[in-house]
Amino acid sequence: MKALVMTAKQQMEIEEREVPTPKDDEVLVETAYAGICGTDNALFNGLPGSADAVPPIVLGHENSGVVRAVGKNVKNFKEGDRVAVDPNIYCGKCHYCHIGLYEECENLSAVGVTRDGGLEQYFTAPEEVTYHVPDAISLKAACSMEPISCGVHTMHITEDIQPSMKALIIGDGYMAKLFAQLLRAYGIQDITMTGRHDDLLAQEKEQLNLTHVVNTTKEDIPGNYDFVIEAVGKPETQEQAVEHTNPGAQVFMFGVGAPGQTFSMNTYEIFKKQLTVKGSMINPHAFVDSIALLESGAVKVEPFQANVISLEEVEGVLDHSTPKTGKTIVAVNPDLK
Protein backbone atom coordinates (compact mmCIF):
# COMPACT_ATOMS: atom_id res chain seq x y z
CA MET A 1 0.00 0.00 0.00
CA LYS A 2 0.97 3.66 -0.41
CA ALA A 3 1.79 5.65 2.74
CA LEU A 4 2.88 9.25 3.20
CA VAL A 5 5.47 9.03 5.97
CA MET A 6 6.86 11.96 7.94
CA THR A 7 10.45 10.74 8.05
CA ALA A 8 11.85 13.73 9.95
CA LYS A 9 10.86 17.24 10.93
CA GLN A 10 9.57 19.01 7.79
CA GLN A 11 10.24 15.96 5.61
CA MET A 12 7.76 13.55 4.04
CA GLU A 13 8.16 10.64 1.65
CA ILE A 14 5.76 8.34 -0.18
CA GLU A 15 6.61 4.75 0.78
CA GLU A 16 5.29 1.35 -0.18
CA ARG A 17 4.33 -0.56 2.96
CA GLU A 18 2.58 -3.77 3.88
CA VAL A 19 -1.09 -3.42 4.76
CA PRO A 20 -1.21 -3.49 8.58
CA THR A 21 -2.91 -6.33 10.41
CA PRO A 22 -5.44 -5.28 13.06
CA LYS A 23 -4.90 -6.49 16.61
CA ASP A 24 -7.62 -8.45 18.39
CA ASP A 25 -9.51 -5.29 19.47
CA GLU A 26 -8.86 -3.26 16.31
CA VAL A 27 -10.35 -2.65 12.90
CA LEU A 28 -8.51 -2.19 9.62
CA VAL A 29 -9.81 0.86 7.75
CA GLU A 30 -9.31 1.64 4.08
CA THR A 31 -8.99 5.41 4.10
CA ALA A 32 -11.42 7.42 1.99
CA TYR A 33 -10.59 10.97 3.13
CA ALA A 34 -8.23 12.55 5.65
CA GLY A 35 -8.48 16.17 6.73
CA ILE A 36 -5.49 18.49 7.13
CA CYS A 37 -5.60 20.97 10.02
CA GLY A 38 -3.39 23.30 12.03
CA THR A 39 -2.30 20.44 14.27
CA ASP A 40 -0.79 18.66 11.26
CA ASN A 41 1.11 21.82 10.42
CA ALA A 42 2.43 21.99 13.99
CA LEU A 43 3.45 18.32 13.98
CA PHE A 44 5.16 18.74 10.60
CA ASN A 45 7.20 21.58 12.11
CA GLY A 46 8.20 19.62 15.21
CA LEU A 47 5.68 21.16 17.60
CA PRO A 48 3.36 19.09 19.81
CA GLY A 49 -0.30 18.44 19.11
CA SER A 50 -2.32 16.55 21.69
CA ALA A 51 0.94 14.60 22.01
CA ASP A 52 4.33 14.51 20.30
CA ALA A 53 4.62 12.92 16.86
CA VAL A 54 7.93 11.07 16.65
CA PRO A 55 9.15 10.27 13.10
CA PRO A 56 8.86 8.04 11.25
CA ILE A 57 5.09 8.45 11.54
CA VAL A 58 2.08 8.70 9.25
CA LEU A 59 -0.01 11.75 10.10
CA GLY A 60 -3.76 12.10 9.51
CA HIS A 61 -6.10 12.29 12.50
CA GLU A 62 -9.30 13.40 10.71
CA ASN A 63 -10.28 10.21 8.94
CA SER A 64 -13.13 8.39 7.27
CA GLY A 65 -13.19 5.13 5.38
CA VAL A 66 -14.46 1.58 5.09
CA VAL A 67 -13.69 -1.38 7.35
CA ARG A 68 -11.74 -4.08 5.53
CA ALA A 69 -10.91 -6.46 8.41
CA VAL A 70 -11.62 -6.82 12.11
CA GLY A 71 -9.76 -8.38 15.04
CA LYS A 72 -11.17 -11.48 16.69
CA ASN A 73 -12.57 -9.56 19.69
CA VAL A 74 -14.35 -6.86 17.65
CA LYS A 75 -18.12 -7.08 18.11
CA ASN A 76 -19.70 -4.01 16.55
CA PHE A 77 -18.07 -3.75 13.12
CA LYS A 78 -17.77 -5.93 10.06
CA GLU A 79 -16.09 -5.71 6.68
CA GLY A 80 -17.74 -3.07 4.52
CA ASP A 81 -18.94 -0.79 7.32
CA ARG A 82 -18.52 2.93 6.68
CA VAL A 83 -16.71 4.55 9.62
CA ALA A 84 -15.10 7.64 11.08
CA VAL A 85 -12.38 7.38 13.71
CA ASP A 86 -11.91 9.46 16.83
CA PRO A 87 -8.11 9.66 16.96
CA ASN A 88 -7.75 10.05 20.72
CA ILE A 89 -7.23 6.91 22.79
CA TYR A 90 -7.33 7.25 26.58
CA CYS A 91 -5.65 4.81 28.94
CA GLY A 92 -8.55 4.68 31.43
CA LYS A 93 -6.10 4.05 34.26
CA CYS A 94 -4.39 7.33 35.14
CA HIS A 95 -5.58 9.91 37.67
CA TYR A 96 -7.18 12.16 35.07
CA CYS A 97 -9.06 9.32 33.39
CA HIS A 98 -10.32 8.23 36.81
CA ILE A 99 -11.76 11.69 37.52
CA GLY A 100 -13.30 12.02 34.06
CA LEU A 101 -10.81 14.55 32.67
CA TYR A 102 -9.91 12.28 29.77
CA GLU A 103 -8.42 15.02 27.61
CA GLU A 104 -5.59 15.28 30.16
CA CYS A 105 -4.84 11.55 30.06
CA GLU A 106 -1.24 10.97 31.10
CA ASN A 107 -0.86 8.14 28.58
CA LEU A 108 -2.79 9.61 25.66
CA SER A 109 -2.17 8.05 22.29
CA ALA A 110 -3.68 9.21 19.04
CA VAL A 111 -4.20 7.94 15.52
CA GLY A 112 -2.15 10.15 13.22
CA VAL A 113 -0.06 11.54 16.07
CA THR A 114 1.55 8.78 18.14
CA ARG A 115 0.47 5.92 15.85
CA ASP A 116 0.06 5.82 12.09
CA GLY A 117 -2.97 7.66 10.77
CA GLY A 118 -5.02 8.24 7.66
CA LEU A 119 -2.41 9.61 5.24
CA GLU A 120 -1.99 6.08 3.95
CA GLN A 121 -4.29 3.71 2.14
CA TYR A 122 -5.01 1.53 5.19
CA PHE A 123 -4.66 2.14 8.91
CA THR A 124 -5.75 0.43 12.11
CA ALA A 125 -7.70 1.82 15.05
CA PRO A 126 -9.19 0.40 18.24
CA GLU A 127 -12.85 -0.56 18.03
CA GLU A 128 -13.56 1.74 20.98
CA VAL A 129 -12.74 4.88 18.95
CA THR A 130 -14.42 3.78 15.72
CA TYR A 131 -17.92 5.02 14.84
CA HIS A 132 -20.47 4.02 12.24
CA VAL A 133 -21.20 6.69 9.63
CA PRO A 134 -24.94 6.95 8.87
CA ASP A 135 -26.05 6.63 5.26
CA ALA A 136 -27.08 10.30 5.19
CA ILE A 137 -23.46 11.40 5.74
CA SER A 138 -20.92 11.16 2.91
CA LEU A 139 -17.44 9.85 3.67
CA LYS A 140 -16.12 13.20 2.46
CA ALA A 141 -18.14 14.98 5.15
CA ALA A 142 -17.37 12.29 7.73
CA CYS A 143 -13.64 13.02 7.70
CA SER A 144 -14.57 16.27 9.47
CA MET A 145 -16.20 14.47 12.37
CA GLU A 146 -13.08 15.05 14.47
CA PRO A 147 -12.99 18.87 14.13
CA ILE A 148 -16.75 19.00 14.74
CA SER A 149 -16.24 16.94 17.88
CA CYS A 150 -13.57 19.35 19.13
CA GLY A 151 -16.13 22.13 18.85
CA VAL A 152 -18.79 19.99 20.51
CA HIS A 153 -16.41 19.41 23.42
CA THR A 154 -16.23 23.17 23.88
CA MET A 155 -20.01 23.27 24.04
CA HIS A 156 -20.00 20.37 26.53
CA ILE A 157 -17.80 22.29 28.97
CA THR A 158 -19.80 25.51 28.91
CA GLU A 159 -21.49 26.45 32.16
CA ASP A 160 -24.75 27.69 30.68
CA ILE A 161 -26.11 28.65 27.28
CA GLN A 162 -29.13 30.89 26.80
CA PRO A 163 -30.78 31.87 23.50
CA SER A 164 -30.60 35.53 24.54
CA MET A 165 -26.80 35.49 24.67
CA LYS A 166 -24.67 37.44 22.20
CA ALA A 167 -21.71 35.46 20.87
CA LEU A 168 -18.44 36.58 19.32
CA ILE A 169 -16.20 34.31 17.25
CA ILE A 170 -12.72 35.72 16.69
CA GLY A 171 -11.42 34.32 13.42
CA ASP A 172 -13.16 32.99 10.32
CA GLY A 173 -11.24 29.81 9.53
CA TYR A 174 -12.75 26.34 9.28
CA MET A 175 -13.20 25.89 13.02
CA ALA A 176 -14.79 29.32 13.29
CA LYS A 177 -17.30 28.31 10.62
CA LEU A 178 -18.07 25.13 12.55
CA PHE A 179 -18.49 27.11 15.77
CA ALA A 180 -20.97 29.47 14.11
CA GLN A 181 -23.15 26.47 13.29
CA LEU A 182 -22.63 24.83 16.68
CA LEU A 183 -23.56 27.96 18.62
CA ARG A 184 -26.82 28.18 16.74
CA ALA A 185 -27.49 24.46 17.17
CA TYR A 186 -26.97 24.86 20.93
CA GLY A 187 -29.30 27.84 21.10
CA ILE A 188 -27.40 31.11 20.60
CA GLN A 189 -28.86 33.18 17.78
CA ASP A 190 -26.92 36.47 17.84
CA ILE A 191 -23.47 35.68 16.41
CA THR A 192 -20.71 38.03 15.29
CA MET A 193 -17.60 36.80 13.46
CA THR A 194 -14.34 38.62 12.79
CA GLY A 195 -12.00 38.25 9.84
CA ARG A 196 -9.62 40.15 7.60
CA HIS A 197 -11.17 40.08 4.13
CA ASP A 198 -14.40 41.83 3.16
CA ASP A 199 -15.30 39.41 0.36
CA LEU A 200 -14.90 36.33 2.55
CA LEU A 201 -16.77 37.91 5.45
CA ALA A 202 -19.67 38.86 3.18
CA GLN A 203 -19.84 35.29 1.92
CA GLU A 204 -19.64 33.86 5.43
CA LYS A 205 -22.34 36.22 6.70
CA GLU A 206 -24.74 34.84 4.12
CA GLN A 207 -23.69 31.19 4.31
CA LEU A 208 -23.73 31.04 8.11
CA ASN A 209 -26.60 33.46 8.74
CA LEU A 210 -24.40 35.61 10.95
CA THR A 211 -25.77 38.66 12.71
CA HIS A 212 -22.66 40.78 12.11
CA VAL A 213 -19.20 40.44 10.58
CA VAL A 214 -16.21 42.64 11.42
CA ASN A 215 -13.08 43.23 9.34
CA THR A 216 -10.54 43.84 12.10
CA THR A 217 -8.01 45.31 9.66
CA LYS A 218 -10.35 48.30 9.23
CA GLU A 219 -12.64 48.49 12.25
CA ASP A 220 -12.79 47.73 15.93
CA ILE A 221 -14.94 44.96 17.35
CA PRO A 222 -18.15 46.69 18.46
CA GLY A 223 -19.45 46.21 21.98
CA ASN A 224 -19.22 43.29 24.36
CA TYR A 225 -20.48 39.73 24.35
CA ASP A 226 -21.70 36.98 26.66
CA PHE A 227 -19.94 34.09 24.94
CA VAL A 228 -16.60 34.48 23.16
CA ILE A 229 -14.65 31.89 21.19
CA GLU A 230 -11.07 32.73 20.25
CA ALA A 231 -10.25 30.63 17.19
CA VAL A 232 -6.96 32.18 16.03
CA GLY A 233 -4.39 31.55 18.76
CA LYS A 234 -2.46 34.83 18.68
CA PRO A 235 -1.82 37.05 21.72
CA GLU A 236 -3.60 40.04 20.21
CA THR A 237 -6.75 38.07 19.45
CA GLN A 238 -6.66 36.35 22.83
CA GLU A 239 -6.54 39.78 24.46
CA GLN A 240 -9.48 40.90 22.30
CA ALA A 241 -11.44 37.86 23.45
CA VAL A 242 -11.16 38.81 27.11
CA GLU A 243 -11.60 42.52 26.46
CA HIS A 244 -14.92 42.29 24.59
CA THR A 245 -16.97 40.68 27.35
CA ASN A 246 -20.09 41.44 29.33
CA PRO A 247 -20.24 40.68 33.05
CA GLY A 248 -20.54 36.94 33.61
CA ALA A 249 -19.24 36.09 30.14
CA GLN A 250 -17.54 32.85 29.19
CA VAL A 251 -14.38 33.01 27.06
CA PHE A 252 -13.00 29.91 25.35
CA MET A 253 -9.41 29.87 24.15
CA PHE A 254 -9.73 27.39 21.30
CA GLY A 255 -7.03 28.70 18.98
CA VAL A 256 -3.71 27.00 19.67
CA GLY A 257 -0.85 29.35 20.47
CA ALA A 258 2.82 28.47 20.26
CA PRO A 259 4.32 26.79 23.34
CA GLY A 260 5.57 29.50 25.65
CA GLN A 261 3.26 32.13 24.18
CA THR A 262 1.58 34.51 26.62
CA PHE A 263 -0.96 37.33 26.52
CA SER A 264 -2.04 40.06 28.91
CA MET A 265 -5.30 40.24 30.88
CA ASN A 266 -6.63 42.98 33.12
CA THR A 267 -7.04 41.02 36.33
CA TYR A 268 -9.34 43.61 37.88
CA GLU A 269 -11.72 43.21 34.95
CA ILE A 270 -11.66 39.42 35.40
CA PHE A 271 -12.60 39.98 39.04
CA LYS A 272 -15.15 42.73 38.45
CA LYS A 273 -16.94 41.01 35.57
CA GLN A 274 -16.72 37.52 37.11
CA LEU A 275 -15.42 36.17 33.83
CA THR A 276 -14.83 32.51 33.09
CA VAL A 277 -11.79 31.97 30.85
CA LYS A 278 -11.24 28.36 29.73
CA GLY A 279 -9.13 26.34 27.39
CA SER A 280 -10.71 23.64 25.25
CA MET A 281 -8.56 20.69 24.25
CA ILE A 282 -9.47 17.80 21.95
CA ASN A 283 -12.80 16.01 22.10
CA PRO A 284 -13.62 13.38 24.75
CA HIS A 285 -16.98 11.67 24.30
CA ALA A 286 -18.16 14.11 21.63
CA PHE A 287 -18.47 11.93 18.52
CA VAL A 288 -22.03 10.77 19.15
CA ASP A 289 -23.35 14.34 19.33
CA SER A 290 -21.20 15.31 16.34
CA ILE A 291 -22.70 12.54 14.22
CA ALA A 292 -26.21 13.65 15.21
CA LEU A 293 -25.48 17.27 14.29
CA LEU A 294 -23.99 16.35 10.92
CA GLU A 295 -26.72 13.83 10.11
CA SER A 296 -29.48 16.33 10.95
CA GLY A 297 -27.98 19.08 8.81
CA ALA A 298 -27.54 21.41 11.78
CA VAL A 299 -23.85 21.40 10.91
CA LYS A 300 -22.68 21.35 7.30
CA VAL A 301 -19.06 20.85 6.26
CA GLU A 302 -18.87 20.06 2.56
CA PRO A 303 -19.52 23.68 1.46
CA PHE A 304 -16.39 24.64 3.42
CA GLN A 305 -14.08 21.79 2.38
CA ALA A 306 -12.38 24.09 -0.08
CA ASN A 307 -9.50 21.98 -1.38
CA VAL A 308 -9.36 18.29 -2.25
CA ILE A 309 -5.80 17.09 -2.84
CA SER A 310 -3.81 13.87 -3.26
CA LEU A 311 -1.26 12.32 -0.90
CA GLU A 312 1.51 13.62 -3.15
CA GLU A 313 0.35 17.22 -2.60
CA VAL A 314 0.26 17.16 1.22
CA GLU A 315 3.87 18.17 1.87
CA GLY A 316 3.48 21.24 -0.34
CA VAL A 317 0.49 22.35 1.72
CA LEU A 318 2.31 21.82 5.02
CA ASP A 319 5.54 23.54 3.98
CA HIS A 320 3.57 26.31 2.22
CA SER A 321 5.28 25.78 -1.12
CA THR A 322 1.79 25.25 -2.58
CA PRO A 323 -0.38 27.07 -0.03
CA LYS A 324 -4.13 26.54 0.06
CA THR A 325 -6.78 28.89 1.38
CA GLY A 326 -9.57 27.17 3.28
CA LYS A 327 -10.04 23.66 4.57
CA THR A 328 -7.97 21.00 2.82
CA ILE A 329 -8.84 17.32 2.72
CA VAL A 330 -6.88 14.49 1.17
CA ALA A 331 -8.72 12.13 -1.17
CA VAL A 332 -6.88 8.91 -0.37
CA ASN A 333 -9.56 6.82 -2.07
CA PRO A 334 -12.48 9.03 -3.17
CA ASP A 335 -14.12 6.07 -4.94
CA LEU A 336 -15.20 4.70 -1.56
CA LYS A 337 -18.84 5.54 -0.85
Side-chain angles (χ1 to χ4, degrees), residues 63-64 83-84 133 137-146 294 301:
N63 306 312
S64 65
V83 296
V133 172
I137 301 175
S138 71
L139 288 177
K140 184 181 177 185
C143 79
S144 279
M145 206 70 74
E146 191 272 347
L294 195 55
V301 295

Side-chain angles (χ1 to χ4, degrees), residues 243-270:
E243 178 185 353
H244 289 281
T245 49
N246 286 322
Q250 297 179 72
V251 181
F252 286 88
M253 297 299 178
F254 188 88
V256 181
Q261 177 179 300
T262 62
F263 69 96
S264 298
M265 291 189 294
N266 184 312
T267 55
Y268 180 75
E269 287 293 299
I270 301 290

Side-chain angles (χ1 to χ4, degrees), residues 99-270:
I99 65 172
L101 201 61
Y102 295 97
E103 58 269 45
E104 300 295 338
C105 174
E106 295 173 320
N107 306 297
L108 180 72
S109 62
V111 175
V113 181
T114 65
R115 55 184 283 166
D116 290 342
L119 293 181
E120 58 184 353
Q121 291 179 297
Y122 297 87
F123 69 96
T124 59
E127 178 184 23
E128 66 188 87
V129 297
T130 306
Y131 292 79
H132 290 280
V133 172
D135 292 341
I137 301 175
S138 71
L139 288 177
K140 184 181 177 185
C143 79
S144 279
M145 206 70 74
E146 191 272 347
I148 296 171
S149 70
C150 290
V152 168
H153 172 59
T154 299
M155 307 312 295
H156 282 176
I157 61 175
T158 59
E159 294 178 1
D160 191 22
I161 299 174
Q162 300 294 333
S164 60
M165 286 179 169
K166 292 175 61 179
L168 171 66
I169 302 171
I170 297 179
D172 66 342
Y174 190 60
M175 283 307 309
K177 294 177 177 69
L178 295 182
F179 270 120
Q181 299 176 76
L182 288 169
L183 287 171
R184 184 158 284 112
Y186 278 82
I188 297 179
Q189 306 304 310
D190 189 324
I191 304 170
T192 295
M193 179 180 287
T194 75
R196 299 173 60 85
H197 303 282
D198 286 335
D199 54 344
L200 292 178
L201 285 167
Q203 183 180 23
E204 290 156 356
K205 187 176 189 295
E206 181 178 354
Q207 286 178 312
L208 298 166
N209 192 26
L210 300 169
T211 309
H212 302 288
V213 292
V214 180
N215 184 334
T216 54
T217 67
K218 301 193 299 187
E219 55 187 318
D220 293 331
I221 298 171
N224 294 324
Y225 300 84
D226 308 300
F227 197 105
V228 183
I229 293 174
E230 198 284 336
V232 178
K234 296 184 179 299
E236 58 268 30
T237 51
Q238 292 166 336
E239 289 172 10
Q240 286 176 339
V242 177
E243 178 185 353
H244 289 281
T245 49
N246 286 322
Q250 297 179 72
V251 181
F252 286 88
M253 297 299 178
F254 188 88
V256 181
Q261 177 179 300
T262 62
F263 69 96
S264 298
M265 291 189 294
N266 184 312
T267 55
Y268 180 75
E269 287 293 299
I270 301 290

Side-chain angles (χ1 to χ4, degrees), residues 234-314:
K234 296 184 179 299
E236 58 268 30
T237 51
Q238 292 166 336
E239 289 172 10
Q240 286 176 339
V242 177
E243 178 185 353
H244 289 281
T245 49
N246 286 322
Q250 297 179 72
V251 181
F252 286 88
M253 297 299 178
F254 188 88
V256 181
Q261 177 179 300
T262 62
F263 69 96
S264 298
M265 291 189 294
N266 184 312
T267 55
Y268 180 75
E269 287 293 299
I270 301 290
F271 157 75
K272 185 173 182 293
K273 290 182 178 180
Q274 293 193 138
L275 299 182
T276 299
V277 181
K278 287 185 177 181
S280 180
M281 180 177 159
I282 59 175
N283 62 337
H285 308 306
F287 252 58
V288 171
D289 284 344
S290 301
I291 291 168
L293 288 162
L294 195 55
E295 185 177 22
S296 71
V299 172
K300 295 179 172 64
V301 295
E302 290 195 69
F304 307 109
Q305 292 173 328
N307 310 296
V308 180
I309 65 171
S310 67
L311 282 174
E312 288 79 4
E313 296 173 281
V314 171

